[in-house]
């Protein structure tokens, strides 16, 4: 392999900023990427440059764009992504929240498990037809303190871009996202592997999620400062009770709900929100309607049919589009399309519309907490000013506050209708 490089000793180094060996990266690319294999057959490698492109978005991993430059000047640089799990921001978050790492929702063991789960996805499920995941050229498990975990992925930054957190998806973007969810769920519902639930359980158990209670309370206090008092005062007591009962809510939605007669598990991506959905760039280099990639599969698991739908609806859309169009039109259409797709493949679709909607409603409550969590995280990582006076940030904070308010207001109505004990302090 030394003859692949202008400078033969280059092969013995690491990718800049990492402990990942150049030799391992090149071996994976040569074996698994036809484009790279053709390029390396035409020219030697002159240099390898690395750029951290996490842009503050990665919480439990660093993402590097690796550019491989060739000796022949007529060959453009070959670009690829390497994703490496890390604990840097997790530790910072623990410090800010004043909790010990071992008591945090995300600690070394959990991040290690999440990395392994993503490796398993790319090694096992990249056969799902039409699902827009990036090509994977190699994975390596993370052995904390001994071996750096790595995932090598196709670079999509030249064609794709994610929507900003503060910008709602439009109707066409949501329809295209629903199509991607349908591909994932229909694959599960038409295959016969009975061991999937044991292989891919939800890593976020109720006892782990409950550790976020202090952060939920802190973020809710922040959100209240963004909206009129006459809004939040009407729901404040119920929101506080929902936070108090988060363990019981998570347990019911992730365990008891799924055990109901007539219900069924399905594949859940688990983290469908703005930054993990890449849209085809339009003429203005902004997010267009078409989806070209869904990234970050660490939370992939078997779970509720309503989970990915609720997460994407609650987090990616504004409350007007959600309540007036998506929940009234897109959601029933999705159910019909999924049922038709599963049955067209010769499989039985046992979930009724009422059971489907029940799953969505309960998952909506859970994803409202995720919205609350992510809102605080984004505002913190983007250094949003606390005080008023910045016109752009004032508008963003108000819209975020209204989005969280309406999600909680609707969650309270769901709880009153379906599970009143969620609103009673235990």
């Amino acid at each position: 392999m030394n003859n692949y490089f202008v400078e033969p000793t280059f092969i013995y180094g690491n990718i800049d900023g990492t402990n990942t060996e150049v030799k391992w990266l090149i071996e994976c690319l040569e074996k698994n990427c036809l484009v790279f294999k053709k390029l390396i057959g035409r020219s030697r490698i002159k240099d390898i440059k690395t750029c951290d492109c996490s842009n503050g978005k990665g919480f439990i991993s660093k993402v590097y764009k690796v550019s491989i430059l060739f000796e022949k000047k007529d060959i453009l640089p070959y670009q690829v992504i390497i994703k490496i799990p890390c604990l840097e921001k997790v530790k910072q978050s623990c410090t800010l929240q004043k909790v010990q790492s071992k008591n945090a929702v995300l600690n070394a063991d959990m991040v290690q498990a999440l990395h392994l789960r993503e490796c398993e996805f790319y090694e096992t499920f990249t056969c799902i037809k039409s699902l827009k995941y990036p090509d994977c050229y190699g994975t390596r498990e993370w052995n904390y303190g001994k071996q750096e975990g790595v995932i090598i992925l196709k670079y999509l930054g030249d064609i794709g871009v994610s929507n900003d957190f503060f910008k709602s998806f439009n109707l066409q973007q949501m329809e295209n996202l629903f199509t991607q969810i349908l591909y994932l769920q229909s694959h599960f519902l038409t295959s016969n592997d009975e061991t999937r639930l044991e292989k891919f359980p939800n890593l976020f158990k109720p006892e782990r999620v409950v550790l976020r209670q202090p952060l939920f309370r802190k973020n809710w206090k922040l959100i209240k400062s963004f909206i009129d008092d006459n809004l939040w005062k009407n729901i404040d007591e119920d929101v506080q009770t929902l936070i108090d009962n988060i363990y019981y809510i998570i347990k019911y939605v992730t365990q008891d709900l799924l055990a109901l007669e007539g219900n069924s598990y399905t594949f859940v991506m688990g983290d469908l929100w703005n930054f993990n959905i890449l849209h085809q760039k339009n003429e203005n280099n902004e997010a267009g309607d078409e989806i070209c990639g869904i990234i970050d599969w660490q939370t992939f698991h078997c779970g509720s049919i309503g989970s990915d739908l609720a997460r994407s609806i609650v987090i990616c859309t504004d409350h007007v589009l959600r309540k007036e169009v998506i929940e009234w039109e897109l959601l029933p259409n999705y159910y019909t399309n999924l049922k038709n797709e599963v049955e067209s493949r010769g499989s039985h679709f046992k979930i009724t519309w009422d059971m489907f909607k029940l799953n969505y409603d309960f998952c909506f409550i859970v994803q409202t907490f995720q919205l609350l969590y992510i809102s605080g995280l984004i505002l913190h990582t983007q250094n949003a000013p606390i005080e008023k006076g910045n016109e752009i940030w004032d508008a963003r904070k108000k819209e975020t506050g209204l989005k969280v308010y309406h999600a909680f207001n609707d969650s309270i109505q769901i709880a009153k209708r379906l599970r009143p004990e969620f609103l009673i302090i235990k």
Side-chain angles (χ1 to χ4, degrees):
M1 185 177 286
N2 291 27
N3 60 349
Y4 285 179
F5 293 85
V6 173
E7 173 52 60
T9 59
F10 204 94
I11 193 69
Y12 301 112
N14 292 339
I15 302 298
D16 286 348
T18 78
N19 293 318
T20 297
E21 306 90 346
V22 170
K23 183 176 184 293
W24 180 79
L25 173 66
I26 299 302
E27 285 175 345
C28 289
L29 292 175
E30 183 185 26
K31 178 182 178 182
N32 299 312
C33 180
L34 183 59
V35 172
F36 180 80
K37 189 172 184 177
K38 289 180 178 179
L39 291 175
I40 203 69
R42 292 179 54 198
S43 176
R44 294 185 299 175
I45 296 170
K46 182 177 68 174
D47 199 3
I48 298 179
K49 296 187 179 297
T50 308
C51 172
D52 185 345
C53 58
S54 305
N55 296 325
K57 297 178 181 179
F59 189 67
I60 61 172
S61 58
K62 285 192 174 182
V63 179
Y64 296 91
K65 180 176 72 173
V66 178
S67 299
I68 300 175
L69 286 64
F70 294 92
E71 185 178 21
K72 287 188 176 181
K73 295 182 179 180
D74 63 326
I75 300 179
L76 295 175
Y78 172 87
Q79 295 178 322
V80 70
I81 290 293
I82 60 172
K83 181 179 179 182
I84 298 172
C86 66
L87 293 172
E88 181 180 330
K89 288 192 176 181
V90 174
K91 292 177 179 178
Q92 290 176 1
S93 176
C94 289
T95 300
L96 289 170
Q97 296 175 53
K98 298 180 180 179
V99 297
Q100 294 181 352
S101 294
K102 65 179 181 179
N103 294 325
V105 176
L106 292 170
N107 53 25
D109 291 340
M110 188 62 171
V111 175
Q112 202 164 340
L114 290 168
H115 173 72
L116 178 60
R117 178 61 59 85
E118 186 166 25
C119 291
E120 290 173 329
F121 171 80
Y122 283 116
E123 292 166 0
T124 310
F125 293 106
T126 51
C127 60
I128 300 177
K129 184 180 179 182
S130 301
L131 189 63
K132 299 288 188 179
Y133 49 81
D135 291 339
C136 179
Y137 305 128
T139 65
R140 186 160 66 182
E141 291 186 21
W142 185 28
N143 189 345
Y144 185 58
K146 296 180 180 179
Q147 175 179 276
E148 186 170 72
V150 192
I151 299 176
I152 309 171
L153 298 169
K154 182 177 181 178
Y155 176 66
L156 298 176
D158 53 345
I159 61 170
V161 63
S162 61
N163 250 334
D164 186 81
F165 173 74
F166 301 103
K167 183 177 181 180
S168 172
F169 280 32
N170 63 40
L171 185 58
Q172 187 60 58
Q173 287 173 333
M174 288 304 297
E175 287 180 345
N176 291 338
L177 181 57
F178 275 24
T179 299
Q180 290 296 303
I181 298 173
L182 186 145
Y183 292 145
L184 184 65
Q185 294 189 346
S186 61
H187 177 85
F188 182 98
L189 295 169
T190 55
S191 54
N192 299 313
D193 184 358
E194 299 296 333
T195 67
R196 294 169 300 188
L197 181 58
E198 296 177 5
K199 291 178 181 176
F200 306 105
N202 191 339
L203 294 173
F204 286 93
K205 306 298 183 185
E207 55 269 20
R208 185 171 291 274
V209 178
V210 77
L211 295 173
R212 279 191 176 145
Q213 268 183 334
L215 194 57
F216 290 145
R217 293 191 181 97
K218 179 180 178 181
N219 286 356
W220 174 238
K221 182 179 180 180
L222 179 65
I223 290 297
K224 290 191 293 185
S225 69
F226 300 158
I227 57 178
D228 293 339
D229 290 357
N230 62 347
L231 287 178
W232 66 259
K233 283 183 177 179
N234 292 328
I235 65 170
D236 189 43
E237 184 176 346
D238 284 335
V239 172
Q240 300 291 354
T241 304
L242 287 175
I243 294 174
D244 288 338
N245 288 334
I246 187 63
Y247 174 87
Y248 304 102
I249 294 171
I250 297 296
K251 181 180 182 298
Y252 182 82
V253 175
T254 60
Q255 298 176 21
D256 302 345
L257 173 66
L258 294 170
L260 293 179
E261 184 177 355
N263 207 353
S264 177
Y265 290 88
T266 187
F267 279 154
V268 177
M269 188 276 183
D271 202 13
L272 276 181
W273 71 294
N274 306 53
F275 289 172
N276 291 340
I277 303 162
L278 298 180
H279 301 266
Q280 197 87 29
K281 290 180 180 178
N282 60 23
E283 60 275 10
N284 299 317
N285 277 333
E286 297 174 342
D289 293 338
E290 297 298 323
I291 292 174
C292 65
I294 296 176
I295 59 175
D296 286 1
W297 291 84
Q298 300 106 315
T299 53
F300 173 78
H301 66 278
C302 293
S304 170
I305 198 169
S307 184
D308 280 340
L309 293 164
R311 187 179 187 86
S312 59
I313 291 171
V314 171
I315 297 178
C316 297
T317 68
D318 63 61
H319 64 278
V320 177
L321 181 63
R322 169 175 69 80
K323 298 170 77 169
E324 294 185 0
V325 181
I326 294 177
E327 291 178 335
W328 281 100
E329 296 181 17
L330 255 61
L331 210 56
N333 289 343
Y334 177 86
Y335 171 81
T336 301
N337 292 337
L338 179 62
K339 183 176 186 293
N340 291 341
E341 179 65 24
V342 170
E343 291 179 343
S344 72
R345 300 189 196 181
S347 297
H348 174 59
F349 189 77
K350 72 175 186 179
I351 303 176
T352 65
W353 162 252
D354 288 340
M355 179 59 72
F356 176 87
K357 185 61 165 55
L358 190 72
N359 276 266
Y360 172 77
D361 285 342
F362 278 118
C363 288
F364 184 96
I365 298 175
V366 172
Q367 296 308 325
T368 294
F369 280 99
Q370 291 301 319
L371 173 63
L372 179 63
Y373 168 72
I374 289 175
S375 296
L377 182 65
I378 293 294
L379 291 166
H380 170 73
T381 56
Q382 296 193 13
N383 298 313
I386 302 297
E387 65 282 352
K388 294 183 178 180
N390 184 309
E391 185 176 343
I392 294 176
W393 273 111
D394 287 349
R396 287 174 173 173
K397 290 188 291 186
K398 182 178 180 179
E399 285 302 312
T400 301
L402 289 172
K403 189 173 181 176
V404 174
Y405 161 77
H406 283 284
F408 265 118
N409 189 51
D410 291 346
S411 292
I412 291 165
Q413 299 309 311
I414 292 170
K416 287 180 178 178
R417 176 166 48 91
L418 298 177
R419 204 77 179 172
E421 54 265 46
F422 285 175
L423 298 171
I424 299 173
I425 298 177
K426 297 186 184 296

